Amino acid sequence: MSDLRSSKWKFTVALALLCFGFAQLAISSEETPPAKSPDLDTLLRDAKSKSSKSRVEAIKKLALEKSERAIQAIVTGLEDDDENVRFIASYALSDLETVAIPSLKKLMADGKPEVRGLVVQTLARMKDPARLTPLILAMLDTNEKVAISAHKALTAESEPTVKPLEPLLEVIAKGDVVARRSAAMMLSDCKDPRTVEPLLKMLQNDVPEVRPYVANAFTRIKDGKAVEPLVAALKDKDGLMRSQAALALGTQADPQAVEPLLALLKDSEPDVRRSTVLALGKIRDPRAFKPLIPFLQDEQVETRIEAIWAVAVLGETEAFDALLPILKSGNHREREEVAAAIGLCRDPRAVKPLVATLKERDIMVVCRAVEGLGYLKDKQAVLPLLDTQLWKRIPETDGLLAGTIRTALLQICSDSMEPLLAATTSPEASVRAHAIWALNSLDGDRQIDRIVEAVKDPDPIVRIEAAGILAYKKGVKDFEALTNLLKDPIPRVRQQAARSLGERAEEKRVERLIETLQDRESVVRSAAADALGRTKDKRAIPPLVAMLKETDPEVAYSVKQSLQSLGYDLNQNR
C-alpha cells in the first residue's frame, strides 16, 4: 500500500509539473507587446533628471516631438551645466530650423554670454533665411566674443546669401567700429537699391577705420551716385582708402573716373597702384592703354599681372606687340597669364606663338595657352587643339587639360562648327576621334549625324569614342548604330558598346545585352553582364544565373555583382 501511495504521489507531482510547463510555454509563446515610447510628460521630466545621460537621451527624443513644450525644453538644454547636454541641445535645435528660431531669439536677448555664443553657433548651422536677422543683430552683442562669432558665421558662407536690410541698418546705427565695418560689407548682399544711400553717408561721414570697408561694398554695387564721392576718396590720406576707392570705381566703369585714376598711377604705395591698374582694365577706356604699358615691368609681380590683363583688353595690335616678349621670356607666373590674356588682343598673329606654347613641358602654361586660343576664336586653332601630340599630354585621371581644350573649341566654333566637322574627316584617326569628342558638346542634328557616322569609321579608336558618346543619346538612329557595334570585329569596340547600352533607356537594350553574354571574348561578356545589372531589368536574371558557372574570374565577378544589384539571392543557387 505504501508503494502504491508513493507511486500515485509521484505521478501527481509529475502531472502538476507537466501542466505548469505547458502553461509557461503558452505564456512565453504569446506575442510580447511592443514597448511604448515615453510620452511627452515623461520626456520633459527626464530632461530635468539629475543624470546627464538621461537628459541627453530625453533631448534626442524631444527633438522628434517638435511641439512648443518640447522645443522649450531643448532650448533650456543650452543652459545645462553638462557640456554634452549643451552640445546635443544645440545640434537638435539646428536640425529643427524654423520652429526653433523664435525661442533662440528670446534666449539671445536674455541668456548669459556663454549661452548667447552657443545660440550663435546653433543659428550658424541652420539654412533657414530667418536665422539671418538674429545673427546680424548678434554683432551688436555687448560681449566681444559673441559679436565676433556672429561676424564669422555671417562671412564664412561659401556663397553669400541675400541679407535682410533692416537689421544691418540697425547695426550701422548702433554698432561699434567693428560691427559697422561688417555691416557695410554685408549691405552689398541685400540686393536692395535702398542700400546705396546709407552707404554713401558712411563713405562721406564715418570714421577712417570704417570708410575703406564702405568703399569695398561698392566693388559689388554699381550705382552712378557713388562715382563722385569715390573719386574724391582717391585723394584720401589713407592708402587703404585710396586703394578701395580705385577698385570700386572699376566696378562703376564710369568714363569720368579715368583721368583721376590715371593720376593715381603715380601713387607712392604699390598696392594703390595695383588696384588702379586693375580698375582701369575694368573700365576699358582707350585713354588708359599707353599709360599702362610701363606697368608690365612694375617692381610688384601682382601689379604686372593686372597690367597684362588690362593691356590685353585695351589694345589690339599694339597690345600683342607689348605682350609677346613676356610670353617668350617672362617668368613662370607671367608666362601663364600672358598665354591666356594675349588671346584677348584678337590679333591673328597670336595663333602661331600660342600653338608653339602647346608643345612645352609645363602643363599649366599649356592649359593657359589653350585658354588663350579659345579667347582668340581663330579657326586656325582647331586642328592644333585636336593634334595627337597635344592629347598625349592628357593623363586619363586628369581632366584639366581636356576640359580646357573642350571649352576653347566651343568658343572657337560657337559661330560655325565647320572646322570641327571638317576635322572628323582628317586622315589621322586620333584627330577624327578628338573631333567627335568635341562635337558632342555642341547642340544640333548635324553633330549627331556625324557621331552616328563615326561608328563605321575604319579605325577602332574613332568607333570607341563614338560608342562612348552614344551612351547618353536618346534617338532611334543612334540606338541602332550602337547595337550594330556589338558585332564589331574589335573586342574593345564591342566592350564599349555593351557598357554604353547599359546607360540607355530603351527596353530592347536588355535583349541585345543578353545576346552579348555569349560573346567569344571574356572582356565583352563581362561588360555585358555589368551593363545588365545597371538596367535594373528583372528579365536579365535568368540568363545571368545561367552564367554563374562561368570560369573566367572577371566575368564571374560581373555576373554576381549584377545579380545582387537586381535583387537576386545568390545563396539560393548553392
Side-chain angles (χ1 to χ4, degrees), residues 339-355:
I342 203 169
L344 296 175
C345 300
R346 302 294 172 86
D347 190 315
R349 292 180 296 163
V351 174
K352 187 175 179 180
L354 285 175
V355 168

PDB file of all heavy atoms in Angstrom, residues 339-355:
ATOM      1  N   ALA A 339      49.920  83.874 -71.671  1.00  0.00           N
ATOM      2  CA  ALA A 339      49.450  82.833 -72.589  1.00  0.00           C
ATOM      3  C   ALA A 339      47.942  82.868 -72.726  1.00  0.00           C
ATOM      4  O   ALA A 339      47.389  82.633 -73.814  1.00  0.00           O
ATOM      5  CB  ALA A 339      49.903  81.455 -72.095  1.00  0.00           C
ATOM      6  N   ALA A 340      47.245  83.182 -71.637  1.00  0.00           N
ATOM      7  CA  ALA A 340      45.785  83.286 -71.707  1.00  0.00           C
ATOM      8  C   ALA A 340      45.357  84.665 -72.208  1.00  0.00           C
ATOM      9  O   ALA A 340      44.525  84.790 -73.101  1.00  0.00           O
ATOM     10  CB  ALA A 340      45.175  83.008 -70.342  1.00  0.00           C
ATOM     11  N   ALA A 341      45.951  85.707 -71.611  1.00  0.00           N
ATOM     12  CA  ALA A 341      45.483  87.076 -71.885  1.00  0.00           C
ATOM     13  C   ALA A 341      45.738  87.515 -73.317  1.00  0.00           C
ATOM     14  O   ALA A 341      44.944  88.282 -73.885  1.00  0.00           O
ATOM     15  CB  ALA A 341      46.156  88.048 -70.920  1.00  0.00           C
ATOM     16  N   ILE A 342      46.807  87.033 -73.945  1.00  0.00           N
ATOM     17  CA  ILE A 342      47.151  87.515 -75.280  1.00  0.00           C
ATOM     18  C   ILE A 342      46.059  87.185 -76.306  1.00  0.00           C
ATOM     19  O   ILE A 342      45.923  87.850 -77.329  1.00  0.00           O
ATOM     20  CB  ILE A 342      48.524  86.943 -75.719  1.00  0.00           C
ATOM     21  CG1 ILE A 342      49.156  87.817 -76.797  1.00  0.00           C
ATOM     22  CG2 ILE A 342      48.400  85.487 -76.164  1.00  0.00           C
ATOM     23  CD1 ILE A 342      50.608  87.475 -77.084  1.00  0.00           C
ATOM     24  N   GLY A 343      45.247  86.171 -75.996  1.00  0.00           N
ATOM     25  CA  GLY A 343      44.129  85.835 -76.883  1.00  0.00           C
ATOM     26  C   GLY A 343      43.081  86.925 -76.944  1.00  0.00           C
ATOM     27  O   GLY A 343      42.352  87.053 -77.936  1.00  0.00           O
ATOM     28  N   LEU A 344      43.000  87.754 -75.890  1.00  0.00           N
ATOM     29  CA  LEU A 344      42.016  88.836 -75.861  1.00  0.00           C
ATOM     30  C   LEU A 344      42.381  89.969 -76.807  1.00  0.00           C
ATOM     31  O   LEU A 344      41.550  90.835 -77.095  1.00  0.00           O
ATOM     32  CB  LEU A 344      41.881  89.374 -74.435  1.00  0.00           C
ATOM     33  CG  LEU A 344      41.329  88.381 -73.403  1.00  0.00           C
ATOM     34  CD1 LEU A 344      41.359  88.990 -72.014  1.00  0.00           C
ATOM     35  CD2 LEU A 344      39.917  87.954 -73.762  1.00  0.00           C
ATOM     36  N   CYS A 345      43.622  89.981 -77.281  1.00  0.00           N
ATOM     37  CA  CYS A 345      44.027  91.013 -78.244  1.00  0.00           C
ATOM     38  C   CYS A 345      43.324  90.815 -79.591  1.00  0.00           C
ATOM     39  O   CYS A 345      43.248  91.747 -80.396  1.00  0.00           O
ATOM     40  CB  CYS A 345      45.543  90.964 -78.470  1.00  0.00           C
ATOM     41  SG  CYS A 345      46.520  91.241 -76.981  1.00  0.00           S
ATOM     42  N   ARG A 346      42.878  89.579 -79.837  1.00  0.00           N
ATOM     43  CA  ARG A 346      42.204  89.236 -81.096  1.00  0.00           C
ATOM     44  C   ARG A 346      43.093  89.512 -82.315  1.00  0.00           C
ATOM     45  O   ARG A 346      42.595  89.880 -83.375  1.00  0.00           O
ATOM     46  CB  ARG A 346      40.869  89.984 -81.229  1.00  0.00           C
ATOM     47  CG  ARG A 346      39.891  89.709 -80.097  1.00  0.00           C
ATOM     48  CD  ARG A 346      39.432  88.263 -80.112  1.00  0.00           C
ATOM     49  NE  ARG A 346      38.651  87.922 -78.935  1.00  0.00           N
ATOM     50  CZ  ARG A 346      37.337  88.115 -78.820  1.00  0.00           C
ATOM     51  NH1 ARG A 346      36.666  88.654 -79.834  1.00  0.00           N
ATOM     52  NH2 ARG A 346      36.696  87.761 -77.740  1.00  0.00           N
ATOM     53  N   ASP A 347      44.392  89.363 -82.128  1.00  0.00           N
ATOM     54  CA  ASP A 347      45.332  89.558 -83.227  1.00  0.00           C
ATOM     55  C   ASP A 347      45.673  88.189 -83.802  1.00  0.00           C
ATOM     56  O   ASP A 347      46.179  87.321 -83.087  1.00  0.00           O
ATOM     57  CB  ASP A 347      46.594  90.249 -82.697  1.00  0.00           C
ATOM     58  CG  ASP A 347      47.510  90.713 -83.821  1.00  0.00           C
ATOM     59  OD1 ASP A 347      47.735  89.922 -84.770  1.00  0.00           O
ATOM     60  OD2 ASP A 347      48.012  91.848 -83.753  1.00  0.00           O
ATOM     61  N   PRO A 348      45.419  87.934 -85.108  1.00  0.00           N
ATOM     62  CA  PRO A 348      45.693  86.616 -85.705  1.00  0.00           C
ATOM     63  C   PRO A 348      47.142  86.158 -85.542  1.00  0.00           C
ATOM     64  O   PRO A 348      47.421  84.957 -85.566  1.00  0.00           O
ATOM     65  CB  PRO A 348      45.344  86.817 -87.187  1.00  0.00           C
ATOM     66  CG  PRO A 348      44.423  87.988 -87.211  1.00  0.00           C
ATOM     67  CD  PRO A 348      44.852  88.871 -86.091  1.00  0.00           C
ATOM     68  N   ARG A 349      48.050  87.112 -85.344  1.00  0.00           N
ATOM     69  CA  ARG A 349      49.452  86.739 -85.162  1.00  0.00           C
ATOM     70  C   ARG A 349      49.687  85.941 -83.878  1.00  0.00           C
ATOM     71  O   ARG A 349      50.727  85.306 -83.721  1.00  0.00           O
ATOM     72  CB  ARG A 349      50.330  87.997 -85.150  1.00  0.00           C
ATOM     73  CG  ARG A 349      50.414  88.731 -86.472  1.00  0.00           C
ATOM     74  CD  ARG A 349      51.296  89.955 -86.332  1.00  0.00           C
ATOM     75  NE  ARG A 349      50.739  90.931 -85.391  1.00  0.00           N
ATOM     76  CZ  ARG A 349      51.450  91.930 -84.834  1.00  0.00           C
ATOM     77  NH1 ARG A 349      52.731  92.092 -85.153  1.00  0.00           N
ATOM     78  NH2 ARG A 349      50.870  92.768 -84.009  1.00  0.00           N
ATOM     79  N   ALA A 350      48.703  85.965 -82.961  1.00  0.00           N
ATOM     80  CA  ALA A 350      48.875  85.262 -81.690  1.00  0.00           C
ATOM     81  C   ALA A 350      48.736  83.747 -81.849  1.00  0.00           C
ATOM     82  O   ALA A 350      49.174  82.991 -80.995  1.00  0.00           O
ATOM     83  CB  ALA A 350      47.858  85.771 -80.674  1.00  0.00           C
ATOM     84  N   VAL A 351      48.123  83.289 -82.957  1.00  0.00           N
ATOM     85  CA  VAL A 351      47.899  81.853 -83.128  1.00  0.00           C
ATOM     86  C   VAL A 351      49.221  81.090 -83.129  1.00  0.00           C
ATOM     87  O   VAL A 351      49.387  80.094 -82.402  1.00  0.00           O
ATOM     88  CB  VAL A 351      47.123  81.562 -84.432  1.00  0.00           C
ATOM     89  CG1 VAL A 351      47.025  80.053 -84.663  1.00  0.00           C
ATOM     90  CG2 VAL A 351      45.735  82.173 -84.366  1.00  0.00           C
ATOM     91  N   LYS A 352      50.168  81.541 -83.920  1.00  0.00           N
ATOM     92  CA  LYS A 352      51.433  80.801 -84.076  1.00  0.00           C
ATOM     93  C   LYS A 352      52.201  80.666 -82.761  1.00  0.00           C
ATOM     94  O   LYS A 352      52.590  79.548 -82.384  1.00  0.00           O
ATOM     95  CB  LYS A 352      52.300  81.479 -85.141  1.00  0.00           C
ATOM     96  CG  LYS A 352      53.559  80.696 -85.483  1.00  0.00           C
ATOM     97  CD  LYS A 352      54.308  81.360 -86.632  1.00  0.00           C
ATOM     98  CE  LYS A 352      55.585  80.574 -86.966  1.00  0.00           C
ATOM     99  NZ  LYS A 352      56.322  81.224 -88.087  1.00  0.00           N
ATOM    100  N   PRO A 353      52.450  81.738 -82.003  1.00  0.00           N
ATOM    101  CA  PRO A 353      53.178  81.573 -80.732  1.00  0.00           C
ATOM    102  C   PRO A 353      52.414  80.755 -79.694  1.00  0.00           C
ATOM    103  O   PRO A 353      53.016  80.029 -78.903  1.00  0.00           O
ATOM    104  CB  PRO A 353      53.415  83.004 -80.247  1.00  0.00           C
ATOM    105  CG  PRO A 353      52.444  83.847 -81.004  1.00  0.00           C
ATOM    106  CD  PRO A 353      52.228  83.163 -82.300  1.00  0.00           C
ATOM    107  N   LEU A 354      51.096  80.865 -79.704  1.00  0.00           N
ATOM    108  CA  LEU A 354      50.317  80.072 -78.742  1.00  0.00           C
ATOM    109  C   LEU A 354      50.359  78.586 -79.103  1.00  0.00           C
ATOM    110  O   LEU A 354      50.456  77.729 -78.231  1.00  0.00           O
ATOM    111  CB  LEU A 354      48.870  80.572 -78.687  1.00  0.00           C
ATOM    112  CG  LEU A 354      48.651  81.888 -77.933  1.00  0.00           C
ATOM    113  CD1 LEU A 354      47.198  82.334 -78.048  1.00  0.00           C
ATOM    114  CD2 LEU A 354      49.046  81.760 -76.471  1.00  0.00           C
ATOM    115  N   VAL A 355      50.263  78.269 -80.383  1.00  0.00           N
ATOM    116  CA  VAL A 355      50.363  76.871 -80.817  1.00  0.00           C
ATOM    117  C   VAL A 355      51.736  76.322 -80.465  1.00  0.00           C
ATOM    118  O   VAL A 355      51.872  75.167 -80.020  1.00  0.00           O
ATOM    119  CB  VAL A 355      50.083  76.749 -82.329  1.00  0.00           C
ATOM    120  CG1 VAL A 355      50.467  75.357 -82.835  1.00  0.00           C
ATOM    121  CG2 VAL A 355      48.615  77.024 -82.611  1.00  0.00           C
TER     122      VAL A 355
END
